Amino acid sequence: MKRLVREGKKLKVALEVVGLAKSSYYYRGKERGSYPLDERLKEALEGLEGYELVYGYRKVTALLKRRGWRFGKKAVYRHMKALGKLQPRRKKRQRRSKLSYSVPVKSNERWEADITTVFCGADGNGWGFALIDCYDWEVIGEVFSQRCRAKEAIECLRKAVAKRFGGRVPEGLRIELRVDRGSQFIARKFREEAQRLGIKIDYCGIQTPNDKPYIENFISKYKEEEVYRNEYENFGEAKEGWERYIRWYVNERLHQSLGYRT
């Protein structure tokens, strides 16, 4: 528009070309001045004490109304902000980035592990630790226990390595183990044992179940096909169901992703 004016066009014509109203062209914003604080409202807010100080401006407005004061919510908010009486805002936690998506092309390339809770009737809860190979869907490590510690997670990892290699991962073979950030998996003993066995740990992001979809799928199927179809009276029955299901899952269950093979 300024170029049109410089070229000799009238302002009215230039405004019509760019589709701008004349009032908008001449508008100049004004800075708002600060309103003085109402001494009565200030005194009322200073009189808050105890748990009244945890109220937000809406509840403070209602409280003052009960006490005979007539102030609007906007005025209460402005005065509380000026007096530093607004509730602190919760800081958003920085979400960790997700792991890169990849599909394994052979066995012993990527493993995933997780824990699930099972109600065991009179004995309370039991915890199932499972470790799966993401290529062939075999559960190669498992522990079902009344305790949920790093010790059980280590036992599950040792069983997996023993099943596939007999002892330790061979030199030159890189296996990635994806786990969440549960206390059992971030424990120093678990990390040290994984390093000793030759396993590389990749920790999933917070609230990112798709970082380890294979083990999430196994636990989901275990709950649907075993746990939700039974009511265990004690820990022994729950453990028997866990072991029976894993034997069936590995040896007999048809897997769609494997072309309906076991």
Side-chain angles (χ1 to χ4, degrees), residues 108 111 160-170 173 175 199:
N108 300 324
W111 296 350
V161 174
K163 184 178 181 70
R164 284 294 169 93
F165 308 109
R168 191 180 184 280
V169 176
L173 180 61
I175 298 180
I199 302 289

Side-chain angles (χ1 to χ4, degrees), residues 23 26 101 191:
S23 59
Y26 284 109
Y101 177 77
R191 290 184 280 109

Side-chain angles (χ1 to χ4, degrees), residues 89-257:
R89 291 183 178 273
R90 181 182 298 176
K91 294 182 179 179
K92 292 184 178 180
R93 295 182 179 179
Q94 183 178 4
R95 295 193 65 171
R96 293 175 174 84
S97 58
K98 298 180 180 180
L99 296 176
S100 59
Y101 177 77
S102 63
V103 178
V105 296
K106 60 183 179 180
S107 297
N108 300 324
E109 182 179 52
R110 188 169 90 221
W111 296 350
E112 293 177 359
D114 206 352
I115 310 168
T116 187
T117 308
V118 181
F119 180 63
C120 303
D123 294 329
N125 288 333
W127 283 271
F129 293 72
L131 192 153
I132 195 171
D133 188 304
C134 299
Y135 179 75
D136 53 43
W137 290 78
E138 182 180 6
V139 179
I140 54 179
E142 57 84 18
V143 172
F144 195 83
S145 173
Q146 289 180 296
R147 305 291 298 274
C148 187
R149 305 168 296 179
K151 181 178 179 180
E152 284 72 35
I154 291 172
E155 181 183 353
C156 181
L157 180 60
R158 286 174 177 170
K159 283 186 176 181
V161 174
K163 184 178 181 70
R164 284 294 169 93
F165 308 109
R168 191 180 184 280
V169 176
E171 292 291 338
L173 180 61
R174 183 181 183 276
I175 298 180
E176 168 194 332
L177 174 63
R178 289 193 174 186
V179 292
D180 58 28
R181 297 173 185 271
S183 59
Q184 300 81 4
F185 298 125
I186 65 174
R188 177 176 55 84
K189 290 183 178 180
F190 181 83
R191 290 184 280 109
E192 289 177 350
E193 184 64 15
Q195 184 177 10
R196 187 188 72 81
L197 294 172
I199 302 289
K200 179 184 179 297
I201 299 178
D202 275 347
Y203 288 105
C204 302
I206 297 175
Q207 298 179 349
T208 54
N210 289 335
D211 279 353
K212 48 181 177 61
Y214 297 90
I215 191 65
E216 294 283 355
N217 178 270
F218 165 75
I219 288 178
S220 173
K221 296 304 179 185
Y222 162 66
K223 289 294 184 73
E224 292 175 4
E225 299 170 351
E226 168 62 27
V227 176
Y228 299 152
R229 298 176 64 248
N230 297 279
E231 290 187 11
Y232 308 118
E233 294 186 0
N234 51 51
F235 174 78
E237 285 189 3
K239 184 176 182 181
E240 182 181 351
W242 166 268
E243 295 172 348
R244 180 178 61 245
Y245 178 80
I246 290 181
R247 286 195 301 270
W248 176 76
Y249 183 90
V250 172
N251 299 309
E252 299 180 38
R253 187 182 189 277
L254 304 181
H255 296 271
Q256 183 177 355
S257 61

